[in-house]
Amino acid sequence: MATIKELALKAGVSKSTVSRVINNDPNVKDETRKHVLKIIKELDYKPNILARSMVTGSLPIVLIIVGDIQNHYFAKTVVGIERELTERNYMAVVYNSMYDVEREKKFIRMAKESRFSGIIPMTAVKNDDLEACLEDIDCPVVLINKDLKRKSLDAVFGNDFEAGYLSTQELINNGHKHIAYISGPYKSTVSAERERGYREALKDNEIEIDENIIFRGKLDIQSGYEIGEEIFKNEKITAVSSNNFLMALGVHRCGKKLGKPVLGEFDIACNETVPELYEESGFIFAGSDLEAIGVKAAQFLMKRIEKSDEPIQKVIFSATRVVNPKAKALVL
Amino acid sequence: MATIKELALKAGVSKSTVSRVINNDPNVKDETRKHVLKIIKELDYKPNILARSMVTGSLPIVLIIVGDIQNHYFAKTVVGIERELTERNYMAVVYNSMYDVEREKKFIRMAKESRFSGIIPMTAVKNDDLEACLEDIDCPVVLINKDLKRKSLDAVFGNDFEAGYLSTQELINNGHKHIAYISGPYKSTVSAERERGYREALKDNEIEIDENIIFRGKLDIQSGYEIGEEIFKNEKITAVSSNNFLMALGVHRCGKKLGKPVLGEFDIACNETVPELYEESGFIFAGSDLEAIGVKAAQFLMKRIEKSDEPIQKVIFSATRVVNPKAKALVL
DNA sequence: ATAAGTTATGAGAACGTTCCCAAAGGCGTT
DNA sequence: AACGCCTTTGGGAACGTTCTCATAACTTAT
């Protein structure tokens, strides 16, 4: 593969001039530029990114750390990030931590060794751990659905409160009055916000909140199934809003198993967007556009990489209620 | 961040010696090694990967090109590849082509500019295109479920014939005699192999093949739904084996809509593995372990990167029939 | 025609490693 | 005591860029 030196030789100019042409430096005579460009084409010359990065100090690579790329939440967001970065000739390296904190820490450490241009940690590590890991990092970082205490960083959020509110409101619109809720782990702000949305929606519709039909699950199908058993014991309940999709699915399976009129008289909502596969499932779901969140995060990062001195920003993307016209026509 | 020069100064040795310690060169006195190691720890020194790559000529990065990371087939395989690479301190860059041939070509071109250590193109481009793109590539390449005509490369395959055979056999074991088949696009070898498995299984069980109940779909849910409508018109048919999961899902939805005894008397099988979510769905499915395929592909690549002169290899991973004990207990 | 100013070009250091080659030190053999 | 051999160390080129600074070439004003 041709180097800048060979190219310069063939073009009869110095390396410096070639470098200027490559980097669009205006201080080059038009004539010279054209000539060099011609030779570049002739030799099919591509600058060595490594050598360039060596002197500029950083690679055009952005590190993304996710819990599990098979999870829709991560996959969809990554698609957005990646699309935007590729557009600008940056690369995205995706690390799967498989929710292993030690692996995540290791990745962040590796990021320090390699001179990445930026990091988007969508990790599962607790915020305190994350904050410690990012302590002495010197490349731009953008957060997604996360906020740190001591360090202010650009961040992009989905609106979880809104998601909880909208899905619940939709259930109410459908005539439901006794709506159970399945929340997530205690500490998660995401879960808390979604639950708050549920509560607010009930209040705004003057429906009394019944703490006995607010459950707390472990986010997986099994957990949803077990809570479903509780829910279906209570004849009054005609709908459920779930923190997340998997638990909603568990309730659905449980209802089917018990022969309940699931997705007929009995409605199920969840407070996040779902894989496309499920968009016609008959579930109600509300959540923010993950791909858009990814794109925005990438844009933030690019700005920081380009040393913009805009003040730190946080963006919150509204949730929308997704109602597919075909929903209810098709069963899951 | 400390450089090797500073480190050498502080340790009172030359850069060369430090370099040797870092790279585990045996020609260093034990005493010296210990001392240097101590200073390395003290300064929290990490070698600059860029500088190293500059001289060795390639980055410890492997490029993976996929159609859409949200697709289970790609996601699961990538998890395997990534796990193995990370283990060996390599990085995986995943490019989503979104099935756009031009984007894929662009990615492969970019791969040539950057000095990647290797490429695993799981792309959707037609083999001829791929072959042309890889023509003058000089880094190791491993293929997954693909084979080229003019160029022999290490490759890892799932056993599609076996998948088709096993799932059909299972349907037969369940007492079905009139089993419809839904195949994929004409040209795909994957589809052809799975269909061949179906046919062989019928033959081996002395069931006559009825070409009228072998359908051809477009791989998506909608397509499966439409074919489902045909299938359920034919009262004789009591089971269906589908080339892929999405079409199987379409048949399922159609059956439910029509009030047929789907997954009760009527069985559905598909010839690939499915997202975990669906493993308890009650479908029968058979396919090769995608994660294992990914791991193997990464191992092949590492061998080539390390200049092994083993002859080119092709590995075929057997398909297994996945029967979950909870299947049938839970509905989809 | 010359000085001053502007534009275009080139020479060479720098980036942080690895790697080749030379040299120094230690040890055993004659 | 001299020689040779092995082990350990150091010096410095090389990798392919960018970037700073100096200088050459060209303008324009006097």
Side-chain angles (χ1 to χ4, degrees):
Chain A
M1 197 164 280
T3 73
I4 202 173
K5 209 171 145 190
E6 291 162 33
L7 181 66
L9 194 71
K10 178 146 188 186
V13 297
S14 68
K15 293 182 298 163
S16 315
T17 302
V18 176
S19 178
R20 273 186 277 262
V21 170
I22 296 167
N23 296 291
N24 286 315
D25 187 315
N27 295 326
V28 180
K29 223 202 300 184
D30 249 24
E31 199 184 325
T32 318
R33 161 165 288 124
K34 268 184 201 152
H35 177 233
V36 171
L37 249 23
K38 201 184 115 212
I39 308 286
I40 287 182
K41 205 153 211 172
E42 261 178 55
L43 294 187
D44 188 31
Y45 166 79
K46 309 280 183 208
N48 183 325
I49 294 185
L50 284 179
R52 173 180 294 164
S53 303
M54 169 88 264
V55 15
T56 59
S58 85
L59 267 172
I61 292 183
V62 170
L63 177 69
I64 307 171
I65 303 178
V66 303
D68 177 9
I69 194 63
Q70 292 176 85
N71 181 317
H72 175 250
Y73 167 66
F74 294 118
K76 191 83 178 174
T77 312
V78 164
V79 166
I81 297 173
E82 205 247 58
R83 208 183 61 204
E84 187 67 18
L85 291 180
T86 307
E87 201 75 26
R88 301 171 182 236
N89 289 314
Y90 272 68
M91 290 176 264
V93 171
V94 180
Y95 275 125
N96 269 302
S97 75
M98 301 320 280
Y99 304 108
D100 176 337
V101 177
E102 284 314 311
R103 265 172 72 91
E104 294 191 356
K105 287 184 183 166
K106 184 184 155 199
F107 291 152
I108 296 182
R109 228 177 299 128
M110 277 176 71
K112 286 183 196 163
E113 295 175 40
S114 320
R115 270 66 172 176
F116 289 112
S117 293
I119 304 186
I120 302 180
M122 300 186 64
T123 66
V125 297
K126 274 178 284 163
N127 279 15
D128 289 348
D129 275 349
L130 183 63
E131 192 141 13
C133 284
L134 295 177
E135 193 70 47
D136 56 341
I137 209 128
D138 44 5
C139 70
V141 177
V142 170
L143 300 175
I144 293 179
N145 287 331
K146 279 182 183 297
D147 216 351
L148 300 183
K149 282 176 216 151
R150 291 189 299 274
K151 200 166 186 170
S152 189
L153 294 169
D154 296 298
V156 188
F157 297 86
N159 194 329
D160 289 299
F161 169 80
E162 214 169 28
Y165 190 98
L166 283 174
S167 72
T168 308
Q169 181 64 55
E170 178 67 6
L171 291 173
I172 296 169
N173 291 349
N174 284 3
H176 297 286
K177 298 229 180 307
H178 296 274
I179 304 169
Y181 191 80
I182 308 180
S183 193
Y186 272 100
K187 283 158 250 168
S188 152
T189 53
V190 169
S191 297
E193 278 298 284
R194 290 176 184 169
E195 183 176 333
R196 195 166 68 82
Y198 160 81
R199 289 171 184 271
E200 282 292 311
L202 293 189
K203 257 188 226 162
D204 288 354
N205 287 275
E206 290 165 3
I207 297 176
E208 207 185 329
I209 294 169
D210 177 357
E211 298 293 342
N212 293 318
I213 61 173
I214 297 181
F215 302 86
R216 201 164 289 279
K218 294 184 203 140
L219 301 177
D220 56 2
I221 297 183
Q222 183 59 27
S223 190
Y225 192 94
E226 286 161 11
I227 291 169
E229 288 175 328
E230 296 300 312
I231 289 175
F232 290 115
K233 274 186 200 153
N234 186 333
E235 296 285 337
K236 268 190 185 166
I237 300 172
T238 61
V240 62
S241 171
S242 165
N243 173 73
N244 72 333
F245 174 61
L246 289 184
M247 293 196 291
L249 205 57
V251 172
H252 179 258
R253 287 190 180 168
C254 178
K256 279 290 183 189
K257 178 82 184 303
L258 299 174
K260 301 289 181 177
V262 195
L263 296 189
E265 299 153 35
F266 190 99
D267 267 331
I268 300 178
C270 72
N271 301 322
E272 62 177 0
T273 57
V274 299
E276 228 173 309
L277 262 186
Y278 288 100
E279 285 184 2
E280 298 177 354
S281 64
F283 281 26
I284 286 158
F285 47 94
S288 302
D289 181 339
L290 295 170
E291 200 169 331
I293 288 176
V295 168
K296 190 72 196 174
Q299 288 170 347
F300 271 165
L301 200 63
M302 294 301 303
K303 264 198 192 161
R304 290 300 162 210
I305 290 171
E306 287 156 6
K307 306 277 177 228
S308 153
D309 55 356
E310 276 185 31
I312 298 288
Q313 290 175 57
K314 312 232 182 265
V315 173
I316 301 172
F317 276 76
S318 256
T320 49
R321 185 171 46 78
V322 182
V323 183
N324 192 303
K326 287 188 218 160
K328 307 230 163 168
L330 296 176
V331 268
L332 192 58
Chain B
M1 197 163 281
T3 75
I4 202 173
K5 210 172 144 191
E6 292 162 33
L7 182 65
L9 194 70
K10 179 145 187 187
V13 297
S14 69
K15 291 183 298 163
S16 314
T17 302
V18 176
S19 178
R20 272 186 278 263
V21 170
I22 296 168
N23 295 292
N24 285 315
D25 187 316
N27 296 327
V28 180
K29 222 203 300 184
D30 248 25
E31 199 184 325
T32 317
R33 161 164 290 125
K34 268 184 201 153
H35 178 234
V36 170
L37 248 24
K38 200 184 115 210
I39 308 286
I40 287 182
K41 205 154 211 172
E42 261 179 56
L43 294 186
D44 188 33
Y45 166 79
K46 310 278 184 210
N48 183 325
I49 293 185
L50 284 178
R52 171 180 295 165
S53 304
M54 169 87 264
V55 18
T56 60
S58 84
L59 265 173
I61 293 183
V62 170
L63 177 69
I64 307 171
I65 304 178
V66 302
D68 177 8
I69 193 64
Q70 292 176 86
N71 182 316
H72 174 250
Y73 167 66
F74 295 117
K76 191 82 179 174
T77 313
V78 164
V79 166
I81 297 174
E82 205 247 56
R83 208 185 59 202
E84 187 66 18
L85 291 180
T86 307
E87 202 75 26
R88 302 170 182 238
N89 289 313
Y90 272 67
M91 291 176 263
V93 171
V94 180
Y95 276 125
N96 269 301
S97 75
M98 302 320 281
Y99 305 106
D100 176 336
V101 178
E102 284 313 311
R103 264 172 73 91
E104 293 191 358
K105 286 185 184 167
K106 186 183 153 200
F107 290 151
I108 295 181
R109 226 177 300 128
M110 276 176 73
K112 287 184 197 163
E113 296 176 41
S114 320
R115 269 67 170 178
F116 290 111
S117 293
I119 304 186
I120 302 180
M122 302 187 61
T123 64
V125 297
K126 273 178 284 163
N127 281 14
D128 289 349
D129 275 349
L130 183 61
E131 191 141 12
C133 285
L134 295 177
E135 193 70 47
D136 56 343
I137 210 128
D138 44 5
C139 68
V141 177
V142 170
L143 299 176
I144 293 179
N145 286 331
K146 277 181 185 296
D147 216 351
L148 300 183
K149 281 176 218 151
R150 291 188 299 275
K151 200 168 187 169
S152 189
L153 293 170
D154 295 298
V156 188
F157 297 86
N159 193 330
D160 289 301
F161 168 78
E162 214 169 27
Y165 191 97
L166 283 175
S167 72
T168 308
Q169 182 63 56
E170 177 67 7
L171 290 173
I172 296 169
N173 291 349
N174 283 2
H176 297 285
K177 299 230 179 307
H178 296 274
I179 303 170
Y181 191 80
I182 308 180
S183 193
Y186 272 100
K187 283 159 255 168
S188 152
T189 53
V190 170
S191 298
E193 278 297 285
R194 290 176 184 170
E195 184 176 332
R196 196 165 67 81
Y198 160 80
R199 289 173 184 269
E200 282 293 310
L202 292 189
K203 258 189 227 162
D204 287 354
N205 287 274
E206 289 165 4
I207 298 177
E208 208 185 328
I209 293 168
D210 178 357
E211 298 292 342
N212 293 318
I213 62 173
I214 296 180
F215 302 87
R216 203 164 287 280
K218 293 183 204 141
L219 300 179
D220 56 2
I221 297 184
Q222 183 59 28
S223 190
Y225 192 94
E226 287 161 10
I227 291 169
E229 289 174 329
E230 295 300 314
I231 288 175
F232 290 114
K233 273 185 202 154
N234 185 333
E235 297 285 337
K236 269 192 189 165
I237 299 172
T238 61
V240 61
S241 171
S242 166
N243 173 73
N244 71 334
F245 173 61
L246 289 184
M247 293 197 292
L249 204 58
V251 173
H252 180 259
R253 287 189 180 168
C254 177
K256 279 290 182 189
K257 179 82 184 300
L258 299 174
K260 301 287 181 177
V262 195
L263 296 190
E265 299 153 35
F266 190 98
D267 267 333
I268 299 179
C270 73
N271 302 322
E272 63 178 357
T273 56
V274 299
E276 227 173 310
L277 260 185
Y278 287 99
E279 286 184 1
E280 298 179 352
S281 63
F283 280 27
I284 287 158
F285 47 93
S288 302
D289 180 339
L290 295 170
E291 200 168 330
I293 287 177
V295 167
K296 190 72 197 173
Q299 288 169 347
F300 271 165
L301 200 64
M302 294 301 302
K303 264 199 194 159
R304 290 300 163 211
I305 290 171
E306 287 156 6
K307 306 278 178 229
S308 153
D309 54 357
E310 276 185 31
I312 298 287
Q313 290 175 58
K314 312 234 183 262
V315 172
I316 301 172
F317 276 76
S318 255
T320 48
R321 185 172 46 77
V322 183
V323 182
N324 191 303
K326 288 188 216 159
K328 305 230 164 166
L330 298 175
V331 268
L332 194 58

